[in-house]
Amino acid sequence: MSLDGTYDDGNIFAKILRGDMPAARVFEDDHVFAFMDAFPQARGHVLVIPKHSRARNLLDEEPERLATLMQGVQRVTRAVRAALSPDGIVVTQFNGAPAGQTVYHLHVHVIPRWEGVALGRHGAGMADPEELKALAAQIAAQIS
Ligand code: 5GP
């Protein structure tokens, strides 16, 4: 899929938002939903998505919604730091397949990094759902 196209209500994140697919929830407010990436690139990899959006990528999004999205991203990033004490945290977002995008509901990756630990491959192995739930709870406990 290119940068252009129509929003598909059947995308995985839309299903998660509707409750049709399970997810390890970290945080939710009126604007954003944050949950563990099921194929994490690092321990504690969280995704933050706008809840009331049909934007497939950053370019599609209403500018006003970006403020609440980024506020949610910052809250989650701070909680990841407090919970897991990483040495660094990647905050990233992909637009279009050639850029690495695979799910077409706007989302931001929060990926903790540790010195000497290589970043996992994007979309590689699936994590144990129980482990993800435990990590989600650990991060959720640090949301302020
Ligand atoms: P993108 O490649 O579009 O930037 O990111 C999509 C992300 O969604 C990937 O990091 C991938 O691991 C994650 N992902 C794909 N399917 C699922 C799923 O069913 N549940 C969760 N929690 N994450 C998923």
Side-chain angles (χ1 to χ4, degrees):
M1 197 184 257
S2 77
L3 285 175
D4 301 306
T6 48
Y7 183 85
D8 174 8
D9 287 300
N11 79 72
I12 294 162
F13 295 169
K15 287 181 183 169
I16 288 173
L17 283 173
R18 285 198 298 270
D20 294 344
M21 280 264 297
R25 184 169 71 100
V26 170
F27 169 70
E28 182 172 8
D29 65 11
D30 289 346
H31 307 284
V32 303
F33 186 79
F35 56 102
M36 303 309 295
D37 194 304
F39 304 86
Q41 286 184 265
R43 187 170 153 268
H45 182 166
V46 180
L47 298 168
V48 186
I49 65 177
K51 278 165 72 166
H52 309 292
S53 174
R54 292 173 64 80
R56 290 168 316 110
N57 56 42
L58 182 73
L59 309 179
D60 287 352
E61 189 55 291
E62 302 293 336
E64 306 74 47
R65 272 211 196 101
L66 293 175
T68 51
L69 175 61
M70 288 313 288
Q71 283 162 19
V73 168
Q74 189 192 48
R75 274 182 98 173
V76 168
T77 305
R78 285 176 167 168
V80 164
R81 182 187 188 185
L84 304 177
S85 303
D87 300 315
I89 307 174
V90 174
V91 174
T92 191
Q93 186 274 323
F94 305 129
N95 300 283
Q101 186 172 14
T102 57
V103 179
Y104 293 89
H105 178 108
L106 173 61
H107 55 279
V108 178
H109 297 260
V110 177
I111 309 175
R113 299 295 312 272
W114 287 267
E115 299 282 1
V117 179
L119 190 65
R121 209 156 44 78
H122 185 216
M126 190 171 184
D128 173 359
E130 289 308 312
E131 257 173 52
L132 289 186
K133 261 194 222 164
L135 273 168
Q138 213 180 322
I139 299 167
Q142 297 296 333
I143 294 280
S144 55

